[in-house]
Short mmCIF file of all heavy atoms in Angstrom, two decimals:
data_model
loop_
_atom_site.label_atom_id
_atom_site.label_comp_id
_atom_site.label_asym_id
_atom_site.label_seq_id
_atom_site.Cartn_x
_atom_site.Cartn_y
_atom_site.Cartn_z
N MET A 169 161.49 161.46 181.25
CA MET A 169 160.50 161.03 180.30
C MET A 169 159.50 160.09 181.00
O MET A 169 159.88 159.25 181.79
CB MET A 169 161.19 160.32 179.13
CG MET A 169 160.26 160.04 177.99
SD MET A 169 161.12 159.20 176.67
CE MET A 169 161.13 160.47 175.47
N THR A 170 158.22 160.23 180.69
CA THR A 170 157.17 159.45 181.34
C THR A 170 156.89 158.18 180.54
O THR A 170 156.82 158.22 179.31
CB THR A 170 155.88 160.27 181.44
OG1 THR A 170 156.17 161.49 182.11
CG2 THR A 170 154.82 159.52 182.19
N ASP A 171 156.73 157.07 181.26
CA ASP A 171 156.40 155.79 180.62
C ASP A 171 154.89 155.73 180.42
O ASP A 171 154.12 155.77 181.37
CB ASP A 171 156.86 154.63 181.50
CG ASP A 171 156.57 153.28 180.87
OD1 ASP A 171 156.35 153.22 179.66
OD2 ASP A 171 156.57 152.29 181.62
N HIS A 172 154.45 155.64 179.17
CA HIS A 172 153.03 155.61 178.86
C HIS A 172 152.54 154.21 178.48
O HIS A 172 151.44 154.08 177.94
CB HIS A 172 152.72 156.58 177.70
CG HIS A 172 152.92 158.00 178.07
ND1 HIS A 172 152.07 158.68 178.93
CD2 HIS A 172 153.88 158.89 177.73
CE1 HIS A 172 152.49 159.91 179.08
NE2 HIS A 172 153.60 160.07 178.36
N SER A 173 153.33 153.20 178.77
CA SER A 173 152.89 151.84 178.44
C SER A 173 151.80 151.39 179.41
O SER A 173 151.87 151.66 180.61
CB SER A 173 154.06 150.86 178.47
OG SER A 173 154.68 150.87 179.72
N PRO A 174 150.77 150.70 178.89
CA PRO A 174 149.66 150.27 179.76
C PRO A 174 150.08 149.18 180.74
O PRO A 174 151.01 148.42 180.47
CB PRO A 174 148.62 149.75 178.78
CG PRO A 174 149.32 149.55 177.50
CD PRO A 174 150.58 150.36 177.52
N ALA A 175 149.38 149.13 181.83
CA ALA A 175 149.65 148.11 182.85
C ALA A 175 149.32 146.72 182.29
O ALA A 175 148.34 146.56 181.56
CB ALA A 175 148.82 148.39 184.09
N PRO A 176 150.11 145.71 182.61
CA PRO A 176 149.88 144.35 182.08
C PRO A 176 148.48 143.81 182.39
O PRO A 176 147.87 143.15 181.56
CB PRO A 176 150.95 143.50 182.77
CG PRO A 176 152.00 144.46 183.18
CD PRO A 176 151.31 145.77 183.44
N GLU A 177 147.95 144.10 183.58
CA GLU A 177 146.61 143.58 183.93
C GLU A 177 145.53 144.22 183.06
O GLU A 177 144.54 143.58 182.71
CB GLU A 177 146.29 143.75 185.41
CG GLU A 177 146.27 145.17 185.93
CD GLU A 177 147.63 145.72 186.35
OE1 GLU A 177 148.65 145.05 186.16
OE2 GLU A 177 147.64 146.83 186.89
N LEU A 178 145.73 145.48 182.68
CA LEU A 178 144.76 146.13 181.78
C LEU A 178 144.86 145.56 180.37
O LEU A 178 143.84 145.39 179.69
CB LEU A 178 144.98 147.64 181.76
CG LEU A 178 144.70 148.36 183.07
CD1 LEU A 178 144.99 149.85 182.94
CD2 LEU A 178 143.27 148.14 183.52
N LEU A 179 146.07 145.25 179.93
CA LEU A 179 146.24 144.62 178.62
C LEU A 179 145.57 143.24 178.59
O LEU A 179 144.93 142.88 177.60
CB LEU A 179 147.72 144.47 178.29
CG LEU A 179 148.41 145.70 177.75
CD1 LEU A 179 149.91 145.44 177.57
CD2 LEU A 179 147.79 146.16 176.46
N ALA A 180 145.70 142.49 179.67
CA ALA A 180 145.09 141.16 179.74
C ALA A 180 143.57 141.27 179.66
O ALA A 180 142.92 140.49 178.95
CB ALA A 180 145.51 140.44 181.01
N LYS A 181 142.98 142.25 180.35
CA LYS A 181 141.53 142.45 180.29
C LYS A 181 141.10 142.84 178.89
O LYS A 181 140.10 142.34 178.37
CB LYS A 181 141.09 143.53 181.28
CG LYS A 181 141.01 143.08 182.69
CD LYS A 181 140.45 144.17 183.58
CE LYS A 181 140.40 143.73 185.02
NZ LYS A 181 139.78 144.73 185.88
N ALA A 182 141.85 143.73 178.27
CA ALA A 182 141.52 144.17 176.92
C ALA A 182 141.59 143.01 175.93
O ALA A 182 140.71 142.86 175.07
CB ALA A 182 142.46 145.29 176.49
N GLU A 183 142.60 142.17 176.06
CA GLU A 183 142.73 141.01 175.17
C GLU A 183 141.56 140.06 175.34
O GLU A 183 141.02 139.53 174.36
CB GLU A 183 144.05 140.28 175.44
CG GLU A 183 145.26 141.06 174.97
CD GLU A 183 146.58 140.44 175.42
OE1 GLU A 183 146.56 139.42 176.16
OE2 GLU A 183 147.63 140.99 175.06
N THR A 184 141.13 139.85 176.57
CA THR A 184 139.98 138.98 176.83
C THR A 184 138.72 139.54 176.21
O THR A 184 137.94 138.82 175.57
CB THR A 184 139.79 138.79 178.35
OG1 THR A 184 140.97 138.21 178.89
CG2 THR A 184 138.60 137.90 178.65
N LEU A 185 138.51 140.84 176.37
CA LEU A 185 137.31 141.48 175.80
C LEU A 185 137.34 141.45 174.27
O LEU A 185 136.30 141.22 173.64
CB LEU A 185 137.18 142.91 176.31
CG LEU A 185 136.81 143.02 177.79
CD1 LEU A 185 136.88 144.47 178.24
CD2 LEU A 185 135.43 142.45 178.04
N VAL A 186 138.49 141.67 173.67
CA VAL A 186 138.61 141.62 172.21
C VAL A 186 138.28 140.21 171.71
O VAL A 186 137.59 140.05 170.71
CB VAL A 186 140.02 142.07 171.76
CG1 VAL A 186 140.28 141.69 170.32
CG2 VAL A 186 140.18 143.55 171.98
N GLU A 187 138.73 139.21 172.43
CA GLU A 187 138.44 137.82 172.05
C GLU A 187 136.96 137.49 172.22
O GLU A 187 136.37 136.77 171.42
CB GLU A 187 139.28 136.87 172.90
CG GLU A 187 139.15 135.42 172.51
CD GLU A 187 140.05 134.52 173.34
OE1 GLU A 187 141.01 135.00 173.96
OE2 GLU A 187 139.75 133.31 173.37
N ALA A 188 136.33 138.03 173.26
CA ALA A 188 134.93 137.72 173.55
C ALA A 188 133.94 138.53 172.72
O ALA A 188 132.79 138.12 172.56
CB ALA A 188 134.65 137.96 175.03
N LEU A 189 134.35 139.67 172.18
CA LEU A 189 133.44 140.58 171.49
C LEU A 189 132.62 139.92 170.39
O LEU A 189 131.40 140.11 170.34
CB LEU A 189 134.20 141.79 170.95
CG LEU A 189 133.34 142.85 170.28
CD1 LEU A 189 132.29 143.40 171.24
CD2 LEU A 189 134.21 143.97 169.72
N PRO A 190 133.20 139.12 169.49
CA PRO A 190 132.37 138.50 168.45
C PRO A 190 131.25 137.63 169.02
O PRO A 190 130.14 137.61 168.50
CB PRO A 190 133.35 137.65 167.65
CG PRO A 190 134.69 138.24 167.93
CD PRO A 190 134.62 138.81 169.31
N TYR A 191 131.52 136.92 170.10
CA TYR A 191 130.50 136.08 170.73
C TYR A 191 129.44 136.93 171.41
O TYR A 191 128.25 136.63 171.35
CB TYR A 191 131.14 135.13 171.74
CG TYR A 191 132.11 134.18 171.10
CD1 TYR A 191 133.48 134.44 171.12
CD2 TYR A 191 131.67 133.04 170.43
CE1 TYR A 191 134.38 133.57 170.51
CE2 TYR A 191 132.57 132.18 169.82
CZ TYR A 191 133.91 132.45 169.86
OH TYR A 191 134.79 131.61 169.25
N MET A 192 129.87 138.01 172.06
CA MET A 192 128.92 138.91 172.70
C MET A 192 127.99 139.53 171.66
O MET A 192 126.78 139.64 171.89
CB MET A 192 129.67 140.00 173.48
CG MET A 192 130.44 139.44 174.67
SD MET A 192 131.67 140.54 175.40
CE MET A 192 130.77 142.02 175.69
N GLN A 193 128.54 139.89 170.51
CA GLN A 193 127.71 140.47 169.45
C GLN A 193 126.77 139.41 168.86
O GLN A 193 125.60 139.69 168.61
CB GLN A 193 128.60 141.04 168.34
CG GLN A 193 129.36 142.27 168.78
CD GLN A 193 130.38 142.71 167.76
OE1 GLN A 193 130.99 141.89 167.07
NE2 GLN A 193 130.59 144.02 167.67
N ARG A 194 127.28 138.22 168.66
CA ARG A 194 126.46 137.15 168.06
C ARG A 194 125.27 136.78 168.94
O ARG A 194 124.18 136.51 168.45
CB ARG A 194 127.34 135.92 167.83
CG ARG A 194 126.61 134.77 167.21
CD ARG A 194 127.54 133.63 166.93
NE ARG A 194 126.81 132.53 166.31
CZ ARG A 194 127.37 131.41 165.95
NH1 ARG A 194 128.66 131.23 166.11
NH2 ARG A 194 126.65 130.46 165.41
N TYR A 195 125.48 136.76 170.26
CA TYR A 195 124.44 136.31 171.16
C TYR A 195 123.75 137.45 171.92
O TYR A 195 122.99 137.21 172.86
CB TYR A 195 125.01 135.29 172.15
CG TYR A 195 125.48 134.04 171.45
CD1 TYR A 195 126.83 133.77 171.29
CD2 TYR A 195 124.57 133.15 170.90
CE1 TYR A 195 127.26 132.63 170.62
CE2 TYR A 195 124.99 132.01 170.22
CZ TYR A 195 126.34 131.76 170.09
OH TYR A 195 126.75 130.64 169.42
N ALA A 196 123.97 138.68 171.50
CA ALA A 196 123.33 139.83 172.15
C ALA A 196 121.81 139.70 172.06
O ALA A 196 121.26 139.38 171.01
CB ALA A 196 123.78 141.13 171.49
N GLY A 197 121.14 139.87 173.18
CA GLY A 197 119.69 139.78 173.22
C GLY A 197 119.15 138.37 173.31
O GLY A 197 117.94 138.16 173.40
N LYS A 198 120.01 137.38 173.31
CA LYS A 198 119.59 135.98 173.38
C LYS A 198 119.66 135.50 174.83
O LYS A 198 120.34 136.07 175.66
CB LYS A 198 120.52 135.10 172.53
CG LYS A 198 120.66 135.51 171.09
CD LYS A 198 119.61 134.88 170.25
CE LYS A 198 119.85 134.91 168.79
NZ LYS A 198 119.95 136.06 168.05
N THR A 199 118.94 134.44 175.11
CA THR A 199 118.99 133.80 176.41
C THR A 199 119.89 132.58 176.30
O THR A 199 119.79 131.82 175.34
CB THR A 199 117.58 133.36 176.85
OG1 THR A 199 116.75 134.51 176.91
CG2 THR A 199 117.62 132.67 178.20
N PHE A 200 120.77 132.41 177.24
CA PHE A 200 121.60 131.22 177.25
C PHE A 200 121.71 130.70 178.68
O PHE A 200 121.46 131.42 179.63
CB PHE A 200 122.97 131.47 176.63
CG PHE A 200 123.80 132.49 177.34
CD1 PHE A 200 124.71 132.12 178.30
CD2 PHE A 200 123.66 133.83 177.03
CE1 PHE A 200 125.47 133.07 178.96
CE2 PHE A 200 124.42 134.79 177.68
CZ PHE A 200 125.33 134.41 178.64
N VAL A 201 122.06 129.44 178.80
CA VAL A 201 122.13 128.78 180.10
C VAL A 201 123.58 128.43 180.39
O VAL A 201 124.29 127.92 179.52
CB VAL A 201 121.28 127.48 180.09
CG1 VAL A 201 121.43 126.72 181.40
CG2 VAL A 201 119.83 127.82 179.81
N VAL A 202 124.01 128.72 181.59
CA VAL A 202 125.33 128.34 182.05
C VAL A 202 125.15 127.20 183.03
O VAL A 202 124.50 127.36 184.06
CB VAL A 202 126.06 129.52 182.72
CG1 VAL A 202 127.41 129.08 183.26
CG2 VAL A 202 126.20 130.67 181.75
N LYS A 203 125.69 126.04 182.69
CA LYS A 203 125.57 124.87 183.56
C LYS A 203 126.75 124.86 184.52
O LYS A 203 127.89 125.04 184.12
CB LYS A 203 125.58 123.60 182.72
CG LYS A 203 125.39 122.35 183.54
CD LYS A 203 125.36 121.14 182.63
CE LYS A 203 125.04 119.90 183.41
NZ LYS A 203 126.17 119.18 183.89
N TYR A 204 126.45 124.69 185.78
CA TYR A 204 127.50 124.59 186.77
C TYR A 204 127.15 123.48 187.74
O TYR A 204 126.00 123.11 187.87
CB TYR A 204 127.73 125.92 187.50
CG TYR A 204 126.48 126.48 188.16
CD1 TYR A 204 126.14 126.12 189.46
CD2 TYR A 204 125.65 127.34 187.47
CE1 TYR A 204 125.01 126.64 190.05
CE2 TYR A 204 124.50 127.85 188.05
CZ TYR A 204 124.19 127.49 189.34
OH TYR A 204 123.07 128.00 189.91
N GLY A 205 128.16 122.97 188.39
CA GLY A 205 127.90 121.89 189.34
C GLY A 205 129.20 121.19 189.70
O GLY A 205 130.26 121.78 189.64
N GLY A 206 129.08 119.94 190.07
CA GLY A 206 130.25 119.17 190.44
C GLY A 206 130.73 119.51 191.83
O GLY A 206 129.96 119.86 192.72
N MET A 207 132.03 119.45 192.01
CA MET A 207 132.63 119.67 193.32
C MET A 207 132.41 121.09 193.83
O MET A 207 132.46 121.34 195.01
CB MET A 207 134.13 119.37 193.28
CG MET A 207 134.44 117.90 193.12
SD MET A 207 133.70 116.85 194.40
CE MET A 207 134.55 117.46 195.86
N ARG A 208 132.13 122.01 192.95
CA ARG A 208 131.88 123.40 193.35
C ARG A 208 130.73 123.48 194.35
O ARG A 208 130.70 124.33 195.20
CB ARG A 208 131.59 124.23 192.09
CG ARG A 208 131.11 125.63 192.35
CD ARG A 208 132.27 126.48 192.89
NE ARG A 208 131.85 127.85 193.07
CZ ARG A 208 131.31 128.34 194.17
NH1 ARG A 208 131.11 127.56 195.20
NH2 ARG A 208 130.97 129.60 194.25
N TRP A 209 129.78 122.58 194.25
CA TRP A 209 128.59 122.62 195.10
C TRP A 209 128.56 121.48 196.12
O TRP A 209 127.51 121.15 196.65
CB TRP A 209 127.34 122.56 194.22
CG TRP A 209 127.36 123.68 193.24
CD1 TRP A 209 127.60 123.59 191.90
CD2 TRP A 209 127.18 125.07 193.52
NE1 TRP A 209 127.58 124.84 191.34
CE2 TRP A 209 127.31 125.76 192.31
CE3 TRP A 209 126.91 125.78 194.68
CZ2 TRP A 209 127.20 127.14 192.23
CZ3 TRP A 209 126.80 127.16 194.60
CH2 TRP A 209 126.94 127.82 193.38
N ALA A 210 129.71 120.93 196.43
CA ALA A 210 129.77 119.77 197.32
C ALA A 210 129.54 120.11 198.78
O ALA A 210 129.12 119.26 199.55
CB ALA A 210 131.11 119.06 197.16
N THR A 211 129.80 121.34 199.19
CA THR A 211 129.64 121.70 200.60
C THR A 211 128.53 122.74 200.76
O THR A 211 128.28 123.53 199.85
CB THR A 211 130.95 122.29 201.17
OG1 THR A 211 131.21 123.51 200.50
CG2 THR A 211 132.11 121.34 200.99
N PRO A 212 127.87 122.74 201.91
CA PRO A 212 126.81 123.74 202.14
C PRO A 212 127.30 125.18 202.01
O PRO A 212 126.59 126.04 201.51
CB PRO A 212 126.35 123.46 203.56
CG PRO A 212 126.73 122.04 203.82
CD PRO A 212 127.98 121.81 203.02
N ASN A 213 128.51 125.46 202.45
CA ASN A 213 129.04 126.83 202.35
C ASN A 213 129.18 127.27 200.91
O ASN A 213 128.92 128.43 200.59
CB ASN A 213 130.39 126.94 203.05
CG ASN A 213 130.26 126.87 204.55
OD1 ASN A 213 129.18 127.05 205.09
ND2 ASN A 213 131.36 126.58 205.21
N SER A 214 129.61 126.40 200.04
CA SER A 214 129.78 126.79 198.64
C SER A 214 128.44 127.03 197.97
O SER A 214 128.33 127.86 197.07
CB SER A 214 130.59 125.75 197.87
OG SER A 214 129.91 124.52 197.84
N ARG A 215 127.40 126.34 198.41
CA ARG A 215 126.07 126.54 197.83
C ARG A 215 125.45 127.87 198.27
O ARG A 215 124.53 128.36 197.64
CB ARG A 215 125.15 125.39 198.18
CG ARG A 215 125.43 124.17 197.30
CD ARG A 215 124.57 123.02 197.70
NE ARG A 215 125.41 122.24 198.62
CZ ARG A 215 124.97 121.35 199.46
NH1 ARG A 215 123.71 121.08 199.55
NH2 ARG A 215 125.80 120.70 200.24
N ALA A 216 125.96 128.44 199.35
CA ALA A 216 125.41 129.70 199.85
C ALA A 216 125.82 130.89 198.98
O ALA A 216 125.21 131.94 199.05
CB ALA A 216 125.86 129.93 201.29
N ILE A 217 126.84 130.71 198.16
CA ILE A 217 127.31 131.79 197.29
C ILE A 217 126.45 131.81 196.04
O ILE A 217 126.35 130.83 195.33
CB ILE A 217 128.79 131.59 196.92
CG1 ILE A 217 129.64 131.57 198.18
CG2 ILE A 217 129.25 132.67 195.97
CD1 ILE A 217 131.06 131.15 197.93
N SER A 218 125.83 132.94 195.78
CA SER A 218 124.96 133.09 194.62
C SER A 218 125.79 133.22 193.34
O SER A 218 126.82 133.90 193.34
CB SER A 218 124.10 134.34 194.79
OG SER A 218 123.49 134.67 193.58
N PRO A 219 125.35 132.61 192.24
CA PRO A 219 126.03 132.81 190.96
C PRO A 219 126.12 134.28 190.56
O PRO A 219 127.01 134.69 189.86
CB PRO A 219 125.20 132.02 189.97
CG PRO A 219 124.52 130.99 190.79
CD PRO A 219 124.28 131.63 192.13
N ARG A 220 125.19 135.11 191.04
CA ARG A 220 125.24 136.54 190.72
C ARG A 220 126.52 137.20 191.25
O ARG A 220 126.95 138.20 190.73
CB ARG A 220 124.02 137.25 191.27
CG ARG A 220 122.75 136.92 190.55
CD ARG A 220 121.63 137.82 191.04
NE ARG A 220 120.39 137.46 190.40
CZ ARG A 220 119.97 137.96 189.25
NH1 ARG A 220 120.70 138.80 188.60
NH2 ARG A 220 118.81 137.58 188.74
N THR A 221 127.09 136.62 192.30
CA THR A 221 128.32 137.21 192.87
C THR A 221 129.53 136.96 191.99
O THR A 221 130.58 137.55 192.20
CB THR A 221 128.59 136.69 194.28
OG1 THR A 221 128.79 135.28 194.23
CG2 THR A 221 127.46 137.02 195.23
N TRP A 222 129.42 136.05 191.02
CA TRP A 222 130.54 135.74 190.15
C TRP A 222 130.75 136.82 189.10
O TRP A 222 131.80 136.92 188.52
CB TRP A 222 130.34 134.43 189.45
CG TRP A 222 130.15 133.27 190.35
CD1 TRP A 222 130.48 133.18 191.67
CD2 TRP A 222 129.59 132.02 190.01
NE1 TRP A 222 130.14 131.95 192.16
CE2 TRP A 222 129.59 131.22 191.17
CE3 TRP A 222 129.08 131.48 188.84
CZ2 TRP A 222 129.11 129.92 191.16
CZ3 TRP A 222 128.60 130.20 188.85
CH2 TRP A 222 128.62 129.44 190.00
N CYS A 223 129.74 137.60 188.81
CA CYS A 223 129.83 138.59 187.73
C CYS A 223 130.58 139.83 188.17
O CYS A 223 130.59 140.21 189.26
CB CYS A 223 128.44 138.99 187.25
SG CYS A 223 127.53 137.58 186.61
#
């Protein structure tokens, strides 16, 4: 018999998306700002990484 249960990592992604969906719908088409800073940008090497690479 074949096990058809989904992989745990896929379930975790699905749960995150289900939780985020109402916010994504509410703010669809809107502009929002993500503030970042602090120790993340303390070294020159860390500043070289573009926020676009986080997506």
Side-chain angles (χ1 to χ4, degrees):
M169 189 181 249
T170 305
D171 181 19
H172 293 289
S173 57
E177 61 274 6
L178 294 178
L179 280 176
K181 282 185 181 184
E183 289 171 358
T184 300
L185 290 172
V186 166
E187 185 178 341
L189 183 59
Y191 298 98
M192 293 165 52
Q193 291 172 326
R194 181 176 180 179
Y195 296 107
K198 305 272 196 298
T199 300
F200 62 94
V201 175
V202 177
K203 183 178 185 268
Y204 56 89
M207 290 304 296
R208 171 71 177 90
W209 303 107
T211 65
N213 289 342
S214 62
R215 281 177 265 162
I217 300 170
S218 167
R220 289 188 183 271
T221 62
W222 302 341
C223 299

